[in-house]
Amino acid sequence: MGILSQPLSRGAALFGVVAIGTAISGTFPQKQGLSLQLAQFVHLLSVGMVVGIGNWTTFVFGIVAFKNLPRQTFGQLQVLSISLGLALVTFANMRQIQSKTSNRQIWVLSVALIPNLLNLLVIEPATTSAMNDRHRLEKGVEKDKASQDALKSKSEYKSLSKRFGMLHGLSSLANLITVGAAHVHLWYLAAVMNNM
């Protein structure tokens, strides 16, 4: 298990990413020149992070890894990569909200931020816990079909699988809301650039 799989470490990592990112990017004065260009660059970079990480993990990496890795290896890889990705996306969303943009876009960015924070701090850790509990039950029966069938018929395993499925579904939904809202904001930025 990685350090980001622990709730306290996850919170500390989120705080660190936000604190460092805010210190580096700061609140730039909105006037002409380098400061405005730097603020716009940081905003576009953060939008690119949200859209890029969201698209890659949702539509490419997750599918390829799921189809090609053993289930338990895939699960542990997801825990490590998603924890870091959620922390980075949270910072990027906060940075975007901090920039001077329309009230409608602040609402859209908040729609991206809220499920992402819930996923980072509540849903994903609970999902990981349920997955790890299920992996503990499965240990030793990976290659024996009869033992697998017996395990799957136990009420404890069924209950854990149901809990994991529900939490994983919530985590996936929160991710899709974040990715969808990021795409809406990207569409807005394309329209703004079109008017330049």
Side-chain angles (χ1 to χ4, degrees):
M1 294 300 278
I3 192 165
L4 285 178
S5 64
Q6 304 302 316
L8 186 58
S9 298
R10 189 181 308 251
L14 171 64
F15 178 78
V17 166
V18 170
I20 291 168
T22 301
I24 290 170
S25 64
T27 304
F28 301 105
Q30 295 298 309
K31 56 185 175 183
Q32 297 298 346
L34 183 60
S35 295
L36 178 61
Q37 188 172 358
L38 187 57
Q40 291 170 335
F41 172 77
V42 170
H43 185 84
L44 289 174
L45 184 63
S46 63
V47 171
M49 283 176 53
V50 173
V51 172
I53 290 170
N55 285 344
W56 178 256
T57 57
T58 304
F59 304 114
V60 179
F61 171 75
I63 295 168
V64 170
F66 179 75
K67 290 185 176 191
N68 292 289
L69 292 174
R71 192 166 55 84
Q72 291 184 356
T73 303
F74 168 73
Q76 293 305 315
L77 182 61
Q78 287 286 86
V79 167
L80 298 174
S81 62
I82 287 176
S83 297
L84 180 59
L86 287 172
L88 289 172
V89 167
T90 298
F91 159 70
N93 281 331
M94 288 177 162
R95 177 62 196 116
Q96 292 165 30
I97 289 171
Q98 198 180 40
S99 67
K100 304 291 184 205
T101 190
S102 73
N103 287 338
R104 181 177 293 166
Q105 287 310 300
I106 289 174
W107 185 85
V108 168
L109 293 168
S110 296
V111 166
L113 177 63
I114 292 166
N116 194 67
L117 275 173
L118 281 172
N119 210 1
L120 178 67
L121 299 173
V122 179
I123 302 168
E124 197 276 331
T127 306
T128 299
S129 175
M131 178 193 72
N132 288 335
D133 291 345
R134 198 168 81 164
H135 286 178
R136 276 190 278 285
L137 288 177
E138 293 170 344
K139 219 171 212 165
V141 298
E142 293 96 357
K143 297 178 181 164
D144 181 18
K145 179 76 171 129
S147 296
Q148 287 176 357
D149 292 341
L151 178 64
K152 288 178 183 177
S153 67
K154 291 184 177 182
S155 63
E156 182 183 9
Y157 186 81
K158 287 179 181 179
S159 175
L160 269 175
S161 293
K162 183 177 180 180
R163 182 170 176 256
F164 172 77
M166 180 200 60
L167 290 167
H168 187 270
L170 286 172
S171 180
S172 297
L173 178 62
N175 177 59
L176 288 173
I177 291 169
T178 297
V179 170
H183 281 88
V184 169
H185 185 60
L186 192 60
W187 185 263
Y188 164 78
L189 290 176
V192 169
M193 290 175 75
N194 195 30
N195 293 329
M196 293 179 148

